[in-house]
Amino acid sequence: MNKVWLVWHIYDDAPTDEEEHEKLIGVYSSERSARDAIERLRDKPGFRDYPERWKIDDWDLDRDEWLGGFVTVRDGAIQ
């Protein structure tokens, strides 16, 4: 199966989930390319302040990932 690798930088010191910041840096054809991207960017402003916040996910191509639908929650109630 064909895969791609997604590189994320996550800033999760925010007091609430709404303030969490996940940045999708890019999608790469190999894990090595994903790791190289992190090396190129890790010293840039902001990233260098949070060097441990990198994440690489591998994803299969042509596969549904979100299978269960979704609900909306407002003021603690499902709508």
Side-chain angles (χ1 to χ4, degrees):
M1 189 172 292
N2 291 327
K3 289 185 178 281
V4 292
W5 284 260
L6 283 66
V7 174
W8 299 87
H9 190 268
I10 301 168
Y11 171 75
D12 61 358
D13 286 345
T16 66
D17 287 342
E18 290 83 24
E19 297 177 33
E20 181 176 288
H21 300 282
E22 294 183 355
K23 292 172 264 342
L24 176 60
I25 303 303
V27 180
Y28 301 90
S29 60
S30 69
E31 185 176 3
R32 178 74 255 158
S33 292
R35 293 190 183 285
D36 289 346
I38 292 171
E39 289 304 313
R40 285 192 303 275
L41 297 171
R42 72 177 333 120
D43 290 331
K44 300 290 183 191
F47 295 141
R48 67 176 160 239
D49 298 328
Y50 302 95
E52 72 287 353
R53 304 293 174 82
W54 296 97
K55 180 179 178 185
I56 297 175
D57 288 324
D58 63 315
W59 287 67
D60 296 325
L61 293 174
D62 300 324
R63 179 178 169 201
D64 298 332
E65 294 290 337
W66 195 288
L67 303 176
F70 70 95
V71 298
T72 301
V73 178
R74 287 197 178 100
D75 299 323
I78 296 175
Q79 299 183 354

